[in-house]
Amino acid sequence: MANKKYDPATTAITAGRDDSGALAPSLTSSTTWSSAGLEESHRQAKAIHETKNYSRYANPTVEAFEHAIAELEHTQAALAFASGMGAMSSVVLALCSTGDHIVAQRNCYAGTLAFLNGPCARLGIDVTFVDGRNAQEFADAVRPGKTMLVIAETPSNPRLDLVDLAVLGAIKGPITVVDSTIATPLGQRPHDHGVSLALHSATKGIAGHNDATIGVIAGDADLIGDIWSYSVLHGATASPFDAMNALRGVRTLDARLARQCESAQILAEWLSEQKNVTAVHYPGLKSHPQHDLAKKQMNYLGLVLSFEIAGGKAAATKLLGALKLIRPAVTFGGPESLISHSASSTHNSVDPDTKAKIGVTDSLLRLSVGLEACVDIQRDLATALAQSN
Ligand SMILES: *Cc1c(COP(=O)(O)O)cnc(C)c1O
């Protein structure tokens, strides 16, 4: 499926387009299709991954989005879900049974952590957590014959730690999964490094307008087919309307990333010089411990940064109250600049010991850099920082 003839920015404009002549994605809302009779219904029942049957199995609008993601990720196939968590939970439950083992990154999205610590533990799926910054830890934790899945997230949410994709991709035996949400398909391509599956919450940068909840995975056709067989029973099916918005988002992804990542770089450098900011975490900074790895494996260094404020939670509370343009809200990748205090919002459910290990302190704030003029975002931060000590 990979079209290596064009630059990815160009592929993003054409990917997933059908041959109907329509340039914009068409919305097919029908949940079912009539058939010619009993024989035809029987044929459809045996070939359920074809589009003209029933929408939980396949839908043309959702398929157009899946084709686009597969093309951008350089994979044979992709599969969309009702959300990023729908993708993560379906992958785990499709591939793991009681008694199986998973190696997973500790410093990751709190929903993934909660799923691995909650439902997986309850079902008797054993999870070993490792620090993704040293990718060799994943390989060392694999138990041959027992480990079904290795789950990584790079850049990680919210501290922007990186995982070396080449080291991860070299792991043989278990299926390797990279939650690549923060990077987006234009920021990095895990499959090019040998990773089995790239996973995205397309709710974030891909859809990009805070108007669609959707997830997607991309990988080899056989593996995607196996996961599809489970996913039609799991039922975390992507909505055609959200798939349409997500595919519309793909069209402008490169332009948005170019602008937002440029602003993120400027703001990360500027924040590093502010006296009541004690640390800035952004892969584009020379001070980031994995800056060289970022330049090696990423095409865009991201629109998310996090920083630590002197004065802990009290100062963070004042800062969030003083900001006028940047809105306190979870999620990232949309047009609006958003800020969140990870310890009390996205990572509220994480136990104190894990929070300490992954560096989610009371001083940590995550900033999603939006499409506003960078100077306005910077002024808003400057004014609020001055009021927060
Ligand atoms: C938001 C997010 C998810 C979950 O996605 P939803 O669409 O909210 O279900 C998973 N991983 C990462 C890194 C995320 O930021």
Side-chain angles (χ1 to χ4, degrees):
M1 186 145 311
N3 184 347
K4 294 185 180 151
K5 200 168 64 178
Y6 291 121
D7 187 275
T10 308
T11 304
I13 305 302
T14 58
R17 194 174 281 162
D18 62 25
D19 50 16
S20 68
L23 293 180
S26 316
L27 176 64
T28 302
S29 58
S30 186
T31 57
T32 192
W33 285 262
S34 69
S35 80
L38 189 149
E39 287 301 325
E40 173 65 2
S41 297
H42 183 57
R43 197 190 62 73
Q44 285 179 341
K46 289 187 294 186
I48 45 182
H49 199 190
E50 63 175 66
T51 51
K52 298 272 186 322
N53 183 32
Y54 185 61
S55 216
R56 179 156 43 80
Y57 296 102
N59 169 282
T61 310
V62 175
E63 283 202 325
F65 170 63
E66 291 167 345
H67 289 159
I69 296 300
E71 206 169 327
L72 290 171
E73 289 284 3
H74 292 179
T75 60
Q76 293 169 340
L79 185 62
F81 298 86
S83 64
M85 281 313 297
M88 184 59 84
S89 58
S90 299
V91 166
V92 170
L93 295 177
L95 302 175
C96 298
S97 307
T98 301
D100 288 343
H101 177 241
I102 295 174
V103 179
Q105 187 170 327
R106 188 183 295 110
N107 36 331
C108 76
Y109 181 67
T112 304
L113 270 186
F115 181 72
L116 295 171
N117 282 318
C120 285
R122 178 163 56 77
L123 295 171
I125 300 168
D126 189 18
V127 184
T128 302
F129 289 101
V130 301
D131 183 336
R133 286 172 292 187
N134 175 7
Q136 191 54 37
E137 286 193 19
F138 290 100
D140 294 346
V142 167
R143 301 178 197 154
K146 276 268 174 211
T147 307
M148 293 295 138
L149 268 181
V150 173
I151 302 174
E153 179 177 305
T154 182
S156 73
N157 185 357
R159 277 279 296 238
L160 293 317
D161 298 326
L162 304 190
V163 177
D164 191 322
L165 291 172
V167 174
L168 198 76
I171 296 175
K172 297 290 170 252
I175 304 287
T176 46
V177 184
V178 165
D179 184 333
S180 196
T181 300
I182 290 188
T184 84
L186 292 178
Q188 70 194 8
R189 283 185 299 270
H191 198 259
D192 283 356
H193 301 268
V195 172
S196 322
L197 289 172
L199 181 150
H200 296 275
S201 166
T203 313
K204 314 290 165 57
I206 294 178
H209 294 72
N210 296 329
D211 59 4
T213 304
I214 185 165
V216 67
I217 57 172
D220 286 348
D222 284 351
L223 178 58
I224 294 290
D226 289 346
I227 296 167
W228 175 83
S229 302
Y230 171 78
S231 76
V232 296
L233 305 176
H234 191 89
T237 312
S239 136
F241 188 74
D242 287 337
M244 181 184 74
N245 277 340
L247 183 48
R248 184 194 57 179
V250 168
R251 300 291 181 244
T252 56
L253 181 56
D254 188 73
R256 288 186 283 114
L257 281 177
R259 167 68 166 265
Q260 287 167 286
C261 298
E262 186 188 7
S263 295
Q265 179 75 37
I266 292 168
L267 293 168
E269 286 171 13
W270 175 80
L271 279 166
S272 306
E273 290 160 7
Q274 304 312 302
K275 65 173 187 330
N276 46 348
V277 171
T278 55
V280 181
H281 311 286
Y282 182 67
L285 288 178
K286 288 200 181 71
S287 61
H288 189 286
Q290 296 167 297
H291 178 62
D292 290 340
L293 178 63
K295 284 195 296 186
K296 198 173 96 187
Q297 69 184 29
M298 299 180 76
N299 305 315
Y300 283 109
L301 303 185
L303 54 79
V304 182
L305 62 88
S306 57
F307 63 95
E308 291 170 54
I309 186 167
K313 193 170 178 179
T317 307
K318 278 192 203 159
L319 184 82
L320 262 61
L323 289 164
K324 294 272 186 290
L325 179 67
I326 303 168
R327 301 315 307 151
V330 294
T331 204
F332 54 84
E336 305 85 8
S337 290
L338 302 177
I339 194 161
S340 60
H341 183 252
S342 307
S344 60
S345 59
T346 54
H347 285 63
N348 183 52
S349 66
V350 178
D351 66 87
D353 179 48
T354 304
K355 266 186 189 157
K357 274 194 186 130
I358 67 178
V360 176
T361 65
D362 272 343
S363 313
L364 190 75
L365 290 157
R366 186 188 74 189
L367 180 66
S368 172
V369 177
L371 282 165
E372 305 93 342
C374 186
V375 62
D376 289 326
I377 308 172
Q378 185 178 327
R379 272 199 207 115
D380 197 34
L381 278 169
T383 310
L385 277 170
Q387 293 170 25
S388 67
N389 31 84

